Amino acid sequence: MKNLVSRVAAWARPRVLPSGRRGTVAGTALLAVVLAGSGTQIVIDRLTSLPDGAVLRAAGVTVSEQDYQRRVHLLGALYGVQAPPDGSKAGEFARATAKAIAVGLVLDHEAAAGGVVIAQKSAEDQLDKLVAESFPQGRDAFIQKLGQNGVSEADVLDEVKRQLANQQLYERVTAPVAAPTDAEVVQAYQERQAQLVQPEARHLRNIVIATREQADAAVDRLRGGADFAVLAAEISLDGQTKNAGGDLGTLAANQLQDAYAQAAFAAAPGAVFGPVQTQDGWNVGQVLDVQPPKQLTLDEVREPLKNTLVDERRLALWNSWLAERMKAADIRYADQYRPADPDTPGEGTAP
C-alpha cells in the first residue's frame, strides 16, 4: 500500500515522466501525468462549506464525487493501479487521491495566475512521444486502453498540458537556487558516505514463457544441460532479448520487479532460477556474473552529488512555496476524504 499511495502522491509532480521499461526490468508508468483535472466538469463556487456530494474544494473549485471517480478511472488508465476494494487501505487511497487532486488544483490556479500558457502543438508533440514510447503496438492500443478505463485521448492531452504548465511553474519558483560550493559537496560526501555505495549488480539472462508448466519444463531442460541462449532463442516470448540469448544486461535489484529480483539475487553465480511469475509471464533466469557492492569515491560521485544537492534545495523551496499557496487556497475536504496533513504538500510533489 505504501507504494500505491506514493504513486498517488506523484500525480502532483510538475513533470511528465518517461515510459516504463519492458520485460522483467521494473517500470511503473504508462504515461505519468498529474491527476488534477481530467476534462471532467467542475463547479466553481464561493461557498464557505461543501455542498452535498462534494469531495473537496480548493482554489474556488469544487470537485464532486462523480468528478473524483472519473479521475480515479484516469489513474487506472495511466498508472495501471486501482483503488483497493474496502477497508483501511481504501480509505488511505481515497485521502491520498483527494489531496493529490487538491494540490493539482492549486497548481492549476497558480499557473493561470502566472500567465503560463501551453501551446496545443507542444502538448500534442509530447503526447505523441509518450504514446510512441509506451505503446509500441500502436496508437490504437493506447486509445483502447483509455477506453477501457472510461477516459479519452482529450482527457490525457489536458493532463499533459497541466504537466508542462506545472514544469514551467516549478522552474520559475526554483530559479533562485544556487549550485553548491566545492566545500559543500565535500561535506555532503562525508555525511552521506555510507549511502554512496554502488549496490550489488548481476548480469542476467532470462526466458519469458506463457505457462507455469512450460516454465517448469524449461528449467528441467536447462538443468539437464541445455544451452540457455539457444533455448531463449527457441521459446522466449520476450522479443527484445530472445535473439540475444535472453541477455538482460547487468542490473541492480531495484531495477527489477520485486519477485524476480528476490529470486535472481538469491541464486548463485551460474545458477538457473525460477520459474518466477511477473506481469510479463513466467520467467526462467540465469545469473552469469555478480558485481559486489562498491564504495564510491568523491570523484566518482562529485557531479551527481552536486546535482542531488541542487535538487534537494529546489524541492525544499518548492514545497515551502506550495505550502503557502495551499494555505491561501482555503482547501476543504469532506470528512471521509480529509488527509491527516491537509495543509502541507507532502512528499514527492516535485521531481
Side-chain angles (χ1 to χ4, degrees):
M1 186 61 196
K2 180 179 180 181
N3 181 55
L4 179 61
V5 173
S6 69
R7 292 166 77 181
V8 172
W11 300 344
R13 296 181 183 175
R15 59 178 172 137
V16 177
L17 295 173
S19 63
R21 298 177 67 180
R22 299 183 65 200
T24 59
V25 179
T28 58
L30 296 176
L31 302 175
V33 294
V34 169
L35 186 64
S38 61
T40 56
Q41 183 177 6
I42 53 179
V43 180
I44 300 178
D45 61 44
R46 298 182 181 276
L47 299 178
T48 57
S49 60
L50 292 177
D52 292 342
V55 172
L56 65 94
R57 185 172 66 248
V61 177
T62 298
V63 177
S64 69
E65 178 67 34
Q66 182 180 7
D67 190 36
Y68 168 88
Q69 292 298 337
R70 184 169 177 80
R71 299 177 198 200
V72 171
H73 292 158
L74 186 62
L75 166 68
L78 301 178
Y79 282 95
V81 296
Q82 302 295 329
D86 51 35
S88 62
K89 291 183 178 180
E92 186 178 357
F93 177 89
R95 291 187 292 273
T97 302
K99 185 172 183 178
I101 293 171
V103 171
L105 291 173
V106 172
L107 292 176
D108 285 350
H109 174 80
E110 294 298 327
V116 176
V117 178
I118 302 300
Q120 181 78 6
K121 181 64 163 54
S122 297
E124 290 174 349
D125 289 347
Q126 183 65 55
L127 180 57
D128 288 344
K129 179 181 178 181
L130 293 171
V131 171
E133 292 174 347
S134 299
F135 289 85
Q137 62 271 49
R139 200 176 191 92
D140 287 345
F142 166 69
I143 301 300
Q144 182 180 8
K145 179 69 173 179
L146 294 180
Q148 290 170 351
N149 288 274
V151 295
S152 68
E153 184 174 356
D155 293 337
V156 180
L157 187 62
D158 285 343
E159 301 312 320
V160 171
K161 287 182 178 180
R162 287 182 173 88
Q163 284 287 337
L164 294 175
N166 289 340
Q167 183 64 51
Q168 285 193 23
L169 195 61
Y170 179 82
E171 296 298 331
R172 286 186 189 181
V173 170
T174 62
V177 172
T181 65
D182 288 341
E184 288 172 330
V185 174
V186 172
Q187 180 180 353
Y189 176 79
Q190 293 171 343
E191 293 171 348
R192 309 180 189 199
Q193 194 167 359
Q195 290 80 47
L196 297 173
V197 176
Q198 180 176 296
E200 177 184 327
R202 296 190 164 210
H203 187 183
L204 304 171
R205 295 197 290 196
N206 187 67
I207 298 172
V208 181
I209 307 171
T211 69
R212 174 63 187 260
E213 291 75 15
Q214 292 171 333
D216 286 333
V219 171
D220 290 341
R221 290 177 64 182
L222 291 168
R223 290 177 177 163
D227 183 277
F228 196 101
V230 172
L231 188 60
E234 177 186 338
I235 68 171
S236 182
L237 300 178
D238 186 351
Q240 290 185 321
T241 65
K242 66 178 299 178
N243 293 329
D247 197 336
L248 290 176
T250 301
L251 301 164
N254 61 7
Q255 295 176 280
L256 300 163
Q257 294 181 37
D258 289 344
Y260 190 89
Q262 290 174 9
F265 278 72
V272 170
F273 61 88
V276 181
Q277 188 175 26
T278 69
Q279 64 188 29
D280 305 295
W282 286 94
N283 298 264
V284 175
Q286 183 182 36
V287 179
L288 294 180
D289 183 48
V290 176
Q291 295 182 1
K294 170 192 170 186
Q295 176 68 56
L296 298 171
T297 67
L298 175 59
D299 286 341
E300 288 176 316
V301 302
R302 188 183 301 274
E303 287 306 311
L305 182 54
K306 184 183 296 185
N307 293 336
T308 295
L309 294 175
V310 170
D311 288 343
E312 290 174 352
R313 293 174 182 183
R314 295 180 79 185
L315 179 60
L317 178 59
W318 172 259
N319 280 340
S320 175
W321 174 88
L322 183 53
E324 292 178 359
R325 271 51 185 187
M326 289 176 66
K327 290 178 182 178
D330 189 27
I331 301 173
R332 297 174 184 268
Y333 297 92
D335 289 344
Q336 66 268 36
Y337 293 99
R338 184 177 296 111
D341 52 348
D343 296 327
T344 60
E347 298 180 0
T349 55

